[in-house]
Amino acid sequence: MTGRPVPVREEIRALGAYRLAPEDAPPIRAKLDFNESPFDVPGEIRADVLARLAAKRWGRYPEFGAPRLKKAIAEAIGRRPEEIVVGNGSGEVILAAVSVFAGGRTLVLPTPTFSLYGQIAAIAAARVMDIPREGADFELAEEEFLEASARPGAVPLVCSPNNPTGGVVRSAFLDRLLDIAAVVLLDQAYVDFAPSADDALLSFGSRRNLVVFRTLSKAYAAAGFRIGYAVAPPALVVEIEKAVLPFSVDLAAEELAVAVLAHPEVARSQVARIVAERGRVAEALAAAGCAVATSSANFLFVRPPDGDAARVRRGLLDRGILVRDMTAAAPGRLRVSIGSRAENDLFLEALQEVL
Ligand code: PMP
């Protein structure tokens, strides 16, 4: 027996374990901390999915390469199946793409941005270069970002609309970034909540070096089933798929995805209600003295008047309202998901008491 230490890679050891500590709290009345949909998949679609699933052979693997799912996604977004990579949530597909394009190289991130990218970079053994956002709306520092992205071995990853700040990249900037960078990774998990002018696939879908990530976890209210995808030129799809393990989308997720994509009107009407509520909640927060960044997503990035995000989060939790304290990403900020009208009212009432 030797006393040698178990060799954990240094960048993994250095990561904080992703853990949500259990806390003392009353029953939760509004869960506004994960940017989930306050709605759900409608009853008839659920019943249909369950019936189809019951008729399947559960002892067999799903169809290799998920051709039916790729076809459904391609049709829903007006692309070809050869342009689609599917995965167990978009997180898995982002990990695959970062591993393929940025492993051993440098991922360029406009921060604050989605915290999972840091973990993904560590797993993929990519270095990270942060380019801080600036101004009241946390806008991307375009010139600095372009300069960093043009360097050899640099791989830009942009989230638009950005989690947690809510803003979108400008089309003119994306155009320049695609010209200057070897490959551009663009996470559009929240694009359904933004104006259609911000749909990068409509404007830049024919570019040879663009990889766009999408998910059914947000606008399609299907987070429990884990379905995400990338859209990229077929030559890049072939490479990304080498880093996705086979059969990562299971039978149930595939069946649900096909069903929700066949009913785009459901997501459309749910999104319209969330967007209307986003405007109402943002106005109420501003009236209460909070700073609120302009958002094209299903959440708001909020600074309470006293800038004490930790105190406000705890006060809200004591009243059964869950929101996210984003102090680590931006001092004094909270991220609040847009819930149902009733949940948003509970949040705004509780906030008045806490303030
Ligand atoms: N990208 C962004 C920006 C997100 O906020 C999330 C979920 N919070 C994801 C990707 C991952 O979503 P999923 O794995 O559920 O598709």
Side-chain angles (χ1 to χ4, degrees):
M1 218 171 68
T2 70
R4 283 193 301 156
V6 178
V8 177
R9 269 171 50 211
E10 207 33 63
E11 55 271 54
I12 301 294
R13 193 189 294 282
L15 282 178
Y18 193 74
R19 201 176 277 141
L20 299 166
E23 287 175 289
D24 286 337
I28 297 306
R29 298 185 299 155
K31 186 173 181 312
L32 307 176
D33 60 338
F34 262 86
N35 301 342
E36 294 150 314
S37 174
F39 303 109
D40 210 318
V41 174
E44 302 116 71
I45 299 181
R46 292 164 72 115
D48 181 42
V49 168
L50 289 173
R52 284 170 190 276
L53 209 48
K56 296 249 170 201
R57 290 191 65 173
W58 292 10
R60 298 279 196 216
Y61 285 108
E63 204 176 347
F64 187 80
R68 184 164 151 254
L69 176 56
K70 285 184 175 181
K71 184 164 173 285
I73 292 169
E75 276 170 12
I77 62 170
R79 309 295 302 194
R80 293 177 293 133
E82 313 86 84
E83 297 176 298
I84 312 293
V85 180
V86 295
N88 191 252
S90 61
E92 184 186 53
V93 189
I94 298 169
L95 171 59
V98 168
S99 302
V100 168
F101 300 115
R105 304 188 182 126
T106 301
L107 199 61
V108 186
L109 298 177
T111 49
T113 191
F114 186 30
S115 58
L116 193 68
Y117 300 154
Q119 185 182 355
I120 283 176
I123 297 170
R127 286 176 296 277
V128 170
M129 181 185 237
D130 290 337
I131 308 289
R133 293 169 178 272
E134 42 196 27
D137 277 338
F138 297 86
E139 270 157 38
L140 210 142
E142 295 185 352
E143 299 308 319
E144 205 185 329
F145 195 83
L146 287 167
E147 199 188 303
S149 302
R151 292 186 195 162
V155 177
L157 169 53
V158 176
C159 185
S160 179
N162 184 48
N163 179 3
T165 58
V168 289
V169 281
R170 295 186 322 120
S171 279
F173 163 77
L174 196 52
D175 196 13
R176 287 174 69 199
L177 185 62
L178 285 160
D179 283 344
I180 227 170
V183 63
V184 174
L185 307 182
L186 184 68
D187 184 353
Q188 294 210 305
Y190 299 98
V191 71
D192 304 275
F193 304 99
S196 59
D198 294 307
D199 181 342
L201 289 174
L202 295 180
S203 314
F204 303 106
S206 61
R207 301 292 280 257
R208 47 169 281 284
N209 59 343
L210 175 63
V211 182
V212 172
F213 307 100
R214 299 264 171 100
T215 180
L216 301 194
S217 296
K218 310 295 177 180
Y220 286 86
F225 277 80
R226 319 300 307 121
I227 309 131
Y229 60 96
V231 187
L236 301 188
V237 164
V238 168
E239 302 304 330
I240 298 168
E241 284 193 331
K242 293 176 189 171
V244 182
L245 298 181
F247 311 117
S248 70
V249 180
D250 63 58
L251 279 184
E254 174 166 286
E255 213 49 59
L256 177 70
V258 170
V260 297
L261 289 167
H263 293 281
E265 73 286 355
V266 172
R268 244 195 321 270
S269 87
Q270 293 181 347
V271 164
R273 290 163 70 183
I274 291 167
V275 168
E277 278 295 289
R278 180 180 75 205
R280 184 178 77 90
V281 175
E283 270 180 34
L285 288 170
C290 298
V292 185
T294 306
S295 173
S296 297
N298 66 342
F299 52 82
L300 296 168
F301 202 45
V302 183
R303 186 184 182 283
D306 64 358
D308 193 344
R311 181 189 74 82
V312 174
R313 187 203 68 99
R314 181 70 233 188
L316 290 169
L317 184 63
D318 291 339
R319 291 161 179 79
I321 314 292
L322 266 175
V323 302
R324 192 67 73 88
D325 177 4
M326 299 303 295
T327 301
R333 290 274 166 171
L334 299 163
R335 193 194 65 195
V336 184
S337 308
I338 301 299
S340 65
R341 194 180 171 92
E343 286 173 319
N344 299 332
D345 282 340
L346 288 172
F347 159 64
L348 291 169
E349 270 168 39
L351 185 71
Q352 288 295 355
E353 288 175 24
V354 174
L355 296 182

